[in-house]
Every structure is written in C-alpha cells, then in structure tokens.
C-alpha cells in the first residue's frame, strides 16, 4: 500500500493565523466572534491529521 506524504505545516500555519484572529476578535469584542470557530476547529483537526 502506498503512503501519501501529508503536508500538515500549512494547516498549522492556518490554525495559528485563525487563532490569532480569534484572540483579536475576543479582545476587540467583535459581535460575530462565533463565525471564526468552524475555521478554527477545522484547521486544528486537519493539522492534527484526525480527518
């Protein structure tokens, strides 16, 4: 069975960027804070290679 090389670095970079945006949204009391959560969760799960 052939193994595919998985590039998780871009997902870690995306997770850190989105986490920074989430932190800024909390700090600035942004009304639509919860719109960031699906992207934060998805990028973390992809970075951890759970899906």
């Amino acid at each position: 069975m052939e193994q595919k090389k998985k590039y998780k670095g871009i997902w870690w970079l995306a997770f850190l960027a989105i986490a920074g945006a989430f932190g800024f949204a909390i700090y600035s009391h942004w009304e639509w804070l919860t719109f960031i959560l699906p992207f934060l969760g998805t990028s973390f799960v992809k970075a951890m290679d759970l899906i």
Side-chain angles (χ1 to χ4, degrees), residues 2-19:
E2 189 176 311
Q3 295 275 336
K4 283 180 25 179
K5 183 169 178 158
K6 296 183 180 182
Y7 298 100
K8 296 188 296 184
I10 191 71
W11 287 109
W12 280 113
L13 186 63
F15 171 72
L16 292 175
I18 296 168

Side-chain angles (χ1 to χ4, degrees), residues 15-37:
F15 171 72
L16 292 175
I18 296 168
F22 186 68
F24 177 74
I26 290 172
Y27 177 75
S28 65
H29 303 286
W30 192 40
E31 301 91 29
W32 297 329
L33 173 75
T34 55
F35 286 140
I36 299 174
L37 289 174

